[in-house]
Amino acid sequence: MTLTELRYIVAVARERHFGRAAEACHVSQPTLSVAIKKLEEELDVKLFERGAAEVSVTPLGADIVRQAQSVLEQASAIKDIAKRGKDPLAGALRLGIIYTIGPYLLPELVKRVIEDYPQMPLMLQENFTVKLLEMLRTGELDCAILAEPFPDTGLALAPLYDEPFMIAAPCNHAFAGRAQITAEELKSETMLLLGAGHCFRDQVLEVCPEFSRFSSDAEGIRKSFEGSSLETIKHMVASGMGVTVVPTLSVPKEPQPHLRFIPFAAPVPTRRVVLAWRRTFTRFEAIAALRNAVHACSLDGVTRLNT
């Protein structure tokens, strides 16, 4: 049994496909298939059920894959310990970040990490919360910047900042000249929402729960629109198609000719942004350095959290 074989079975369990797993491991499919068959023969167990469209993990195989993930993580920790002896920050840090934070935090964050910690390059992955949590669990990521709440996965968490929400409206909308808007006033508006899978969509629906009933019927076409990104939705708001709710960091610093951003009246809805990592991750100094770099960013309009 080798670490390479363990990497192969973890990849197949993740991808549910031998071809994609081989591609992820940078080997040919025959090489990967032969290695897994050899491991199955050595263990005298069947790890995978080979179907026409998808590979599934057997119940016993699932237990072995989980143990393989742990072994690979511990093997990686040995290298990390050796590196820390020379420079605690040496080596790339694999960072995941959700779509509604990445475009607004990463440009300044990456620049600060390059300036302050050049020996710790960031390897970035933007994705949905559920996918980033899975990648953390399987060791594909070292840490991730997420918005609470999300399922309790036993991860270590460090709060970064609390971010208020704001309302975006066309410049000719009745809201445009207002100093504040209540959540109650949004009920009569056409609301533009992010599509399913975005945690920010769920957070907006907590503020305006009445719009959740439109997501699966014909009335929803008139009352709400689901977009793929905050920037797409902001362009649609600017064209007069409705209003939306956005996180504060997504608000441009310069005035926009066709958009107005209006604060909520109290109680102001907010989201808590946190840094998450596996409790077994050994590069504590890298986590601390990343958190310091986030706090060194301008972060206009948010409340930094140092506890």
Side-chain angles (χ1 to χ4, degrees), residues 163-182:
E163 182 177 21
F165 298 164
M166 296 186 73
I167 299 148
C171 61
N172 59 354
H173 193 280
F175 287 170
R178 297 274 299 278
Q180 292 181 329
I181 304 293
T182 66

Side-chain angles (χ1 to χ4, degrees), residues 28-54:
S28 68
Q29 183 171 336
T31 297
L32 179 137
S33 297
V34 168
I36 290 178
K37 188 173 187 300
K38 174 178 170 291
L39 182 60
E40 287 181 320
E41 290 173 351
E42 179 183 344
L43 298 175
D44 193 24
V45 297
K46 193 170 186 178
L47 299 173
F48 302 105
E49 296 284 352
R50 281 83 164 169
E54 186 180 79

Side-chain angles (χ1 to χ4, degrees), residues 164-199:
F165 298 164
M166 296 186 73
I167 299 148
C171 61
N172 59 354
H173 193 280
F175 287 170
R178 297 274 299 278
Q180 292 181 329
I181 304 293
T182 66
E184 184 73 16
E185 291 177 276
L186 295 178
K187 288 184 178 180
S188 60
E189 299 297 322
T190 298
M191 177 69 75
L192 309 187
L193 301 171
L194 284 171
H198 289 276
C199 61

Side-chain angles (χ1 to χ4, degrees), residues 203-225:
Q203 291 156 2
V204 171
L205 289 176
E206 286 183 15
V207 179
C208 313
E210 60 278 355
F211 286 102
S212 62
R213 72 181 187 273
F214 296 127
S215 60
S216 61
D217 58 29
E219 181 74 359
I221 297 173
R222 185 174 67 81
K223 289 293 294 182
S224 67
F225 169 84

Side-chain angles (χ1 to χ4, degrees), residues 246-274:
V246 299
T248 291
L249 288 185
S250 75
V251 176
K253 291 180 171 55
E254 300 297 325
Q256 302 295 294
H258 304 296
L259 275 175
R260 295 293 181 271
F261 296 94
I262 309 104
F264 274 93
V268 178
T270 64
R271 66 175 178 180
R272 174 154 295 184
V273 175
V274 301

